[in-house]
Amino acid sequence: MAMQQHLRIREHHRSPITALGYHAARRECLTGFEDGVIKWWDMENGHMSLCTKEHSGRVTHFLSWIPTHLLFSASNDSSVIVWAPGGAVLDRIQLGYPIFTLAISLARHLLLCGSKGRLVAFPLDERRESGHVVNLSQGFSDQTHTDIVSCIACLDNNIYTAGYDKRLLIFDTYQSPSRKGLTTKHCISRAHRAAITHLLLVRQQETTRVLSGSFDQTVGIWSQDGQLIHRLGPFTGNITALCYVATTGIVWIASGTSQPTLYEPQSGEIVSQFISTFRGQQMEGLVLQQLLSLPDSRHVIGSAKPQQMLVWRYSESGCMIVLPCKHPVECLAYAKKEPILLFSGDSNGMLQKWERSYISPYIYSMESFHISEAHLERRGPFAQEVEKSSQEEPWPCPRSSQKWRKASGRHQSGYSPFRTTAKDAYKESIGFTRATPLSRMLPQ
């Protein structure tokens, strides 16, 4: 039950990758480039199925409108292009200003566009009664932001925006007979110490958190109403991507390294050392730039410098957790009942006891000790009972052979039932499974 690397595609295009997307109708991932080129890739074999150049500037964002099987692409050339399921251009929308991010509010039926110093909303018009997929004549905007609006996220009626002005805003919409508009519900004027690059909504059971990534190398964790809960970092570099993988309950954080940092929102802990997804992979020389979790939550796509695209896929038979040991493991044992206990031993006589945390299935605490110490501890309860029985019934004088035999018989008859009962009870209470050498566990 883990994410495993499925594809690694080396891109030979001259311009750098600036956007990642997914076309739900075609089940293909997309890469957008700085020169306006868009490439479509098969998710199974990594072959390029389509290459187009409809934008004249940098491709900044992709957005899939799943109910209608349409795809939006935005660019700093002031245009938004709507793509049909077959990959043809369905609509071209000229807005007159660069667009840096897109989002759809299904609750309000709006297309939201982030530009420099403004957030613009257009009613969706899938029947194209107004001539476009959006009704341009009924659009409205808000100019609370003073710099580029870099990210937008929608939750029910709330619209969350963040930008290069370090602000995190929560909007709602209002409608009157004469006009429509955006109203600011909450404004955090200094959510970070530098430009905010990413927003991410994480829904887990009845809890929803808002995560923000910034050039200040930190990740902010916020409640739905905009209250700061926790701040992660500082990381080794700027936060360039955030994505939530619902199948594993893990947030991936890209910060200018070859591998993302793995964060579990449920426990609030970094769990990278226990996850096997990136162990044993040849990632040296790569710098992870962008990440995107697909709507099916079974795939994650990413881009890395120099010019590579990666695809990870969820595997039900994959390794879920890795527990690092300093020496080769010779034998293993485990306790069946809660709390989950794992025991490993090596040829140096060192034992490690791993106990799973009650707040997270990914976190284990480790205690190490030598087998000589463990031997006394293991037989401690039996030794205490034997010593207690010896103190209650003292041994007779050896001069009387008859008394010795009687006493010996009484002691043996009294000790044997205790030994059997205590041993069985001890096994039942702990649920301890006997250690098995690894050579017997491996197939011959």
Side-chain angles (χ1 to χ4, degrees):
M1 300 184 294
M3 302 297 294
Q4 297 180 340
Q5 184 172 310
H6 174 57
L7 290 174
R8 184 170 173 178
I9 304 171
R10 184 178 296 276
E11 176 56 59
H12 297 287
H13 197 71
R14 294 181 179 180
S15 297
I17 300 173
T18 56
L20 292 176
Y22 177 69
H23 199 316
R26 295 172 60 94
R27 299 186 63 83
E28 293 179 340
C29 57
L30 296 88
T31 52
F33 297 86
E34 192 169 7
D35 59 358
V37 171
I38 298 176
K39 295 185 178 182
W40 313 62
W41 304 89
D42 188 287
M43 293 286 293
E44 294 301 322
N45 54 33
H47 294 162
M48 186 178 65
S49 60
L50 185 63
C51 180
T52 61
K53 190 179 187 306
E54 297 294 337
H55 289 287
S56 59
R58 171 182 183 152
V59 179
T60 56
H61 198 88
F62 291 108
L63 176 65
S64 182
W65 189 7
I66 296 178
T68 60
H69 306 294
L70 299 179
L71 175 78
F72 294 85
S73 63
S75 172
N76 62 0
D77 64 358
S78 305
S79 69
V80 174
I81 295 178
V82 184
W83 302 85
V89 175
L90 179 66
D91 193 7
R92 189 186 300 271
I93 305 170
Q94 293 291 340
L95 297 178
Y97 41 82
I99 302 300
F100 299 98
T101 184
L102 297 171
I104 288 181
S105 173
L106 295 177
R108 301 300 191 187
H109 206 61
L110 295 172
L111 174 67
L112 302 166
C113 306
S115 184
K116 186 173 183 178
R118 69 169 67 179
L119 172 66
V120 188
F122 298 101
L124 292 167
D125 184 11
E126 53 264 44
R127 296 181 180 179
R128 303 179 67 184
E129 296 176 354
S130 62
H132 293 283
V133 176
V134 297
N135 193 326
L136 297 177
S137 62
Q138 297 185 9
F140 50 94
S141 64
D142 179 270
Q143 297 184 4
T144 305
H145 282 286
T146 59
D147 206 334
I148 292 175
V149 179
S150 57
C151 38
I152 307 172
C154 299
L155 177 64
D156 300 329
N157 294 329
N158 289 337
I159 300 170
Y160 300 84
T161 65
Y164 282 20
D165 57 2
K166 312 172 189 177
R167 294 184 178 183
L168 175 60
L169 300 177
I170 304 177
F171 291 97
D172 198 356
T173 60
Y174 67 88
Q175 182 175 0
S176 64
S178 58
R179 59 174 297 182
K180 295 180 181 179
L182 293 165
T183 177
T184 304
K185 295 177 60 177
H186 189 61
C187 175
I188 307 171
S189 59
R190 195 172 175 82
H192 285 269
R193 292 182 289 107
I196 302 175
T197 57
H198 287 82
L199 280 181
L200 177 68
L201 292 177
V202 177
R203 293 187 179 186
Q204 286 187 325
Q205 298 177 354
E206 299 180 357
T207 304
T208 301
R209 295 286 183 259
V210 182
L211 276 65
S212 60
S214 169
F215 285 154
D216 65 4
Q217 304 180 3
T218 66
V219 173
I221 302 172
W222 312 83
S223 63
Q224 298 182 47
D225 55 356
Q227 302 301 315
L228 180 63
I229 300 174
H230 184 53
R231 196 177 295 275
L232 301 176
F235 290 84
T236 56
N238 299 335
I239 306 302
T240 61
L242 294 172
C243 81
Y244 175 62
V245 185
T247 49
T248 59
I250 300 295
V251 174
W252 294 18
I253 305 172
S255 57
T257 59
S258 61
Q259 300 179 1
T261 301
L262 306 181
Y263 167 75
E264 190 196 20
Q266 181 179 350
S267 63
E269 299 290 340
I270 301 295
V271 295
S272 303
Q273 61 176 323
F274 299 109
I275 305 298
S276 64
T277 301
F278 300 96
R279 289 183 175 270
Q281 295 186 13
Q282 298 298 324
M283 301 285 286
E284 292 80 3
L286 297 183
V287 178
L288 200 59
Q289 291 292 304
Q290 301 176 69
L291 293 169
L292 177 65
S293 179
L294 304 191
D296 61 4
S297 296
R298 300 184 67 88
H299 292 83
V300 173
I301 59 177
S303 66
K305 293 181 180 179
Q307 293 297 85
Q308 294 200 35
M309 187 178 70
L310 303 101
V311 179
W312 294 270
R313 183 167 60 183
Y314 178 75
S315 174
E316 295 182 354
S317 59
C319 176
M320 180 178 178
I321 298 172
V322 172
L323 301 178
C325 299
K326 295 182 179 180
H327 302 285
V329 177
E330 300 289 342
C331 58
L332 294 170
Y334 66 95
K336 296 179 180 179
K337 296 185 178 180
E338 295 288 345
I340 300 298
L341 297 176
L342 301 175
F343 300 87
S344 63
D346 57 41
S347 58
N348 296 325
M350 295 301 297
L351 296 176
Q352 289 81 35
K353 182 180 75 173
W354 304 86
E355 182 175 352
R356 191 174 73 179
S357 171
Y358 68 94
I359 61 174
S360 170
Y362 294 101
I363 300 177
Y364 280 74
S365 61
M366 189 269 286
E367 181 182 359
S368 181
F369 44 88
H370 197 267
I371 192 172
S372 60
E373 303 172 4
H375 178 69
L376 295 176
E377 183 180 352
R378 182 183 61 188
R379 65 184 298 270
F382 303 111
Q384 292 175 5
E385 291 294 340
V386 173
E387 184 179 356
K388 182 178 179 181
S389 300
S390 302
Q391 292 175 356
E392 292 177 353
E393 186 175 354
W395 292 93
C397 180
R399 297 177 181 176
S400 175
S401 59
Q402 183 177 1
K403 291 181 180 180
W404 175 270
R405 286 194 297 271
K406 291 181 179 180
S408 179
R410 286 196 305 269
H411 177 76
Q412 291 177 358
S413 62
Y415 176 72
S416 298
F418 155 73
R419 180 174 57 185
T420 304
T421 305
K423 187 174 182 180
D424 294 341
Y426 184 66
K427 284 184 177 181
E428 183 178 357
S429 63
I430 296 183
F432 188 78
T433 301
R434 191 173 185 180
T436 303
L438 290 180
S439 58
R440 297 185 181 179
M441 300 173 63
L442 298 175
Q444 300 298 326

